[in-house]
Short mmCIF file of all heavy atoms in Angstrom, two decimals:
data_model
loop_
_atom_site.label_atom_id
_atom_site.label_comp_id
_atom_site.label_asym_id
_atom_site.label_seq_id
_atom_site.Cartn_x
_atom_site.Cartn_y
_atom_site.Cartn_z
N SER A 48 -6.24 -4.56 -26.20
CA SER A 48 -4.85 -4.24 -25.86
C SER A 48 -4.83 -2.77 -25.43
O SER A 48 -5.75 -2.02 -25.69
CB SER A 48 -3.87 -4.42 -27.02
OG SER A 48 -4.12 -3.39 -28.00
N LYS A 54 -6.34 4.25 -28.47
CA LYS A 54 -6.93 4.81 -29.64
C LYS A 54 -8.40 5.05 -29.45
O LYS A 54 -8.96 6.05 -29.91
CB LYS A 54 -6.66 3.94 -30.81
CG LYS A 54 -5.32 4.03 -31.42
CD LYS A 54 -5.01 3.13 -32.59
CE LYS A 54 -4.76 1.74 -32.04
NZ LYS A 54 -4.09 0.92 -33.06
N HIS A 63 -13.09 -0.14 -34.16
CA HIS A 63 -14.53 -0.58 -34.42
C HIS A 63 -15.44 0.10 -33.34
O HIS A 63 -15.10 0.17 -32.14
CB HIS A 63 -14.68 -2.10 -34.24
CG HIS A 63 -15.92 -2.62 -34.85
ND1 HIS A 63 -16.06 -2.81 -36.20
CD2 HIS A 63 -17.06 -2.98 -34.31
CE1 HIS A 63 -17.22 -3.28 -36.44
NE2 HIS A 63 -17.88 -3.41 -35.33
N THR A 66 -16.09 -1.88 -30.28
CA THR A 66 -14.89 -2.01 -29.43
C THR A 66 -14.70 -0.70 -28.62
O THR A 66 -14.52 -0.72 -27.41
CB THR A 66 -13.71 -2.27 -30.30
OG1 THR A 66 -13.89 -3.22 -31.17
CG2 THR A 66 -12.44 -2.58 -29.41
P DC C 31 -13.52 -0.64 -39.13
OP1 DC C 31 -14.90 -0.89 -38.72
OP2 DC C 31 -12.96 0.66 -39.46
"O5'" DC C 31 -12.62 -1.38 -38.09
"C5'" DC C 31 -12.85 -2.66 -37.59
"C4'" DC C 31 -11.73 -3.34 -37.07
"O4'" DC C 31 -10.58 -3.24 -37.96
"C3'" DC C 31 -11.15 -2.86 -35.73
"O3'" DC C 31 -11.49 -3.79 -34.72
"C2'" DC C 31 -9.57 -2.80 -35.90
"C1'" DC C 31 -9.39 -3.56 -37.27
N1 DC C 31 -8.26 -3.07 -38.00
C2 DC C 31 -7.18 -3.85 -38.26
O2 DC C 31 -7.16 -4.98 -37.66
N3 DC C 31 -6.07 -3.41 -38.92
C4 DC C 31 -6.11 -2.19 -39.47
N4 DC C 31 -5.03 -1.82 -40.20
C5 DC C 31 -7.22 -1.34 -39.37
C6 DC C 31 -8.24 -1.82 -38.57
P DC C 32 -11.33 -3.31 -33.22
OP1 DC C 32 -12.38 -4.08 -32.44
OP2 DC C 32 -11.20 -1.87 -33.10
"O5'" DC C 32 -9.97 -3.98 -32.85
"C5'" DC C 32 -9.77 -5.42 -32.90
"C4'" DC C 32 -8.24 -5.81 -32.85
"O4'" DC C 32 -7.57 -5.12 -33.92
"C3'" DC C 32 -7.63 -5.36 -31.53
"O3'" DC C 32 -7.21 -6.55 -30.89
"C2'" DC C 32 -6.41 -4.56 -32.09
"C1'" DC C 32 -6.31 -4.84 -33.55
N1 DC C 32 -5.74 -3.87 -34.44
C2 DC C 32 -4.53 -4.02 -34.99
O2 DC C 32 -3.89 -5.01 -34.81
N3 DC C 32 -4.00 -2.92 -35.82
C4 DC C 32 -4.75 -1.82 -35.92
N4 DC C 32 -4.30 -0.95 -36.81
C5 DC C 32 -6.05 -1.65 -35.36
C6 DC C 32 -6.51 -2.70 -34.54
P DG C 33 -6.60 -6.38 -29.43
OP1 DG C 33 -7.04 -7.52 -28.63
OP2 DG C 33 -6.80 -5.02 -28.91
"O5'" DG C 33 -5.03 -6.57 -29.71
"C5'" DG C 33 -4.58 -7.77 -30.38
"C4'" DG C 33 -3.10 -7.73 -30.62
"O4'" DG C 33 -2.79 -6.72 -31.54
"C3'" DG C 33 -2.24 -7.43 -29.34
"O3'" DG C 33 -1.13 -8.22 -29.47
"C2'" DG C 33 -1.94 -5.98 -29.48
"C1'" DG C 33 -1.82 -5.85 -31.03
N9 DG C 33 -2.12 -4.44 -31.51
C8 DG C 33 -3.19 -3.76 -31.28
N7 DG C 33 -3.23 -2.58 -31.93
C5 DG C 33 -2.10 -2.63 -32.69
C6 DG C 33 -1.53 -1.64 -33.62
O6 DG C 33 -2.02 -0.57 -33.93
N1 DG C 33 -0.40 -2.07 -34.10
C2 DG C 33 0.33 -3.28 -33.90
N2 DG C 33 1.40 -3.51 -34.54
N3 DG C 33 -0.19 -4.21 -33.00
C4 DG C 33 -1.36 -3.78 -32.47
P DA C 34 -0.29 -8.44 -28.12
OP1 DA C 34 -0.34 -9.90 -27.84
OP2 DA C 34 -0.61 -7.46 -27.09
"O5'" DA C 34 1.24 -8.14 -28.65
"C5'" DA C 34 1.68 -8.73 -29.81
"C4'" DA C 34 2.89 -7.99 -30.37
"O4'" DA C 34 2.53 -6.76 -30.90
"C3'" DA C 34 3.96 -7.68 -29.26
"O3'" DA C 34 5.18 -7.92 -29.78
"C2'" DA C 34 3.72 -6.20 -28.99
"C1'" DA C 34 3.27 -5.72 -30.31
N9 DA C 34 2.37 -4.52 -30.24
C8 DA C 34 1.27 -4.46 -29.48
N7 DA C 34 0.65 -3.25 -29.56
C5 DA C 34 1.40 -2.61 -30.55
C6 DA C 34 1.26 -1.33 -31.10
N6 DA C 34 0.26 -0.52 -30.79
N1 DA C 34 2.19 -0.93 -32.08
C2 DA C 34 3.14 -1.82 -32.32
N3 DA C 34 3.41 -2.99 -31.83
C4 DA C 34 2.50 -3.36 -30.91
P DA C 37 13.29 3.20 -29.98
OP1 DA C 37 14.05 3.54 -31.18
OP2 DA C 37 13.87 2.44 -28.85
"O5'" DA C 37 12.72 4.57 -29.32
"C5'" DA C 37 11.80 5.40 -29.99
"C4'" DA C 37 10.94 6.21 -29.06
"O4'" DA C 37 10.00 5.37 -28.39
"C3'" DA C 37 11.86 6.80 -27.86
"O3'" DA C 37 11.99 8.21 -28.09
"C2'" DA C 37 11.04 6.57 -26.60
"C1'" DA C 37 9.73 5.95 -27.13
N9 DA C 37 9.17 4.84 -26.33
C8 DA C 37 9.86 3.69 -25.93
N7 DA C 37 9.06 2.97 -25.11
C5 DA C 37 7.86 3.65 -25.00
C6 DA C 37 6.74 3.33 -24.26
N6 DA C 37 6.47 2.31 -23.54
N1 DA C 37 5.74 4.32 -24.38
C2 DA C 37 5.91 5.43 -25.07
N3 DA C 37 6.99 5.78 -25.77
C4 DA C 37 7.94 4.83 -25.75
#
Side-chain angles (χ1 to χ4, degrees):
Chain A
S48 73
K54 279 179 283 196
H63 199 79
T66 311

